[in-house]
Amino acid sequence: MRDAGSEGSSAGSGHRTGPVDLRVDQPHVARMYDYYLGGKDNFPADREAAEQAIAAFPNAPLAARQNRAFLVRAARYLAAEVGIRQFLDVGTGIPTSPNLHEVVQDIAPDARIVYADNDPIVLTHARALLTSTPQGRTAYLHADLHDPASILDSAELRSTFDLTRPVALSLIAIFHFFPDDHDPHGIVRRLVDGLPSGSHVVITHSTADFDPGVARLVQTYLDRGIPAAARSRAEVQSLFVGLDPVEPGVQPLHRWRPDADVPPDLTDAQVSGYGGIARKP
């Protein structure tokens, strides 16, 4: 990896307005996810909350790893088979190698990636996201998914992308923190409306379809004041309304175009998450 500070091909992160309050005394969803993945960017409050979630759904760390593996397979598919060269990753989270730009630029060195997140913890790690091949470009945007216009109209996005060409929009493991009253369907619609024909949308989402422990896990987040919701397959499919599904459609994460790295004995209950890709006509 290259240092962003030495690359002319990387853009700076937006909205750096002063010291960041990480509120390390309170659990944070990005740091809990980092803990599930075995990372080190977490604090005692995060670990305590994550262990409570794991007690409710012991496969949470495995599910997190399979979610990450799906992201890698989806990115490779979009870069290698579809030929997309522009990727918008909303709800980026704490950097975890390989980051999206590392996956797609390994296939297409000229690929351009915009990361967007509103979490202060991610802002502190943005430097790790701003590494790029000389041929490509990466940018970080500090913005809120509840306000899609703040993403689509941002200088970071418009200076990095050519919006006459298709974009791959990744919404990975984020909408299970958007209950229905947060209008996830409207958010997807507004984002897609701002992208050209041929763009693709990637979504992953937790589900209690296979293991009631996921409902208990969701409750551990709700008990700490964190909005959360598991959704059924039909509900996840509804997030793609108006788009053309890419085969094999919305599937349990490990069943979507599995590669040799997916353990053959994984069960739907262990993974308890759906993933899919759809194309804007």
Side-chain angles (χ1 to χ4, degrees), residues 132-167:
S132 174
T133 59
Q135 306 97 310
R137 184 179 174 94
T138 57
Y140 178 77
L141 168 64
H142 194 62
D144 192 336
L145 181 56
H146 289 92
D147 181 12
S150 70
I151 298 171
L152 295 170
D153 297 339
S154 68
E156 289 85 356
L157 184 142
R158 292 186 173 272
S159 66
T160 304
F161 288 168
D162 173 0
L163 289 178
T164 67
R165 300 175 59 204
V167 173

Side-chain angles (χ1 to χ4, degrees), residues 66 69-83 200 202 244-263 274-279:
Q66 287 304 310
F70 170 90
L71 167 63
V72 171
R73 294 198 306 278
R76 286 174 177 159
Y77 164 77
L78 291 168
E81 298 187 40
V82 181
H200 286 62
V202 187
D244 297 331
V246 170
E247 289 296 329
V250 172
Q251 295 288 335
L253 293 168
H254 61 301
R255 299 187 187 280
W256 195 93
R257 301 189 180 219
D259 58 21
D261 293 331
V262 175
Y274 287 118
I277 300 179
R279 181 185 184 275

Side-chain angles (χ1 to χ4, degrees), residues 212-228:
V214 174
R216 295 192 294 270
L217 178 147
V218 166
Q219 190 60 50
T220 68
Y221 282 87
L222 294 173
D223 289 345
R224 294 176 180 270
I226 300 170

Side-chain angles (χ1 to χ4, degrees), residues 168-189:
L169 168 63
S170 294
L171 298 160
I172 300 295
I174 188 168
F175 280 133
H176 42 236
F177 298 115
F178 281 63
D180 289 345
D181 61 356
H182 287 227
D183 193 22
H185 296 84
I187 289 170
V188 175
R189 184 177 63 252

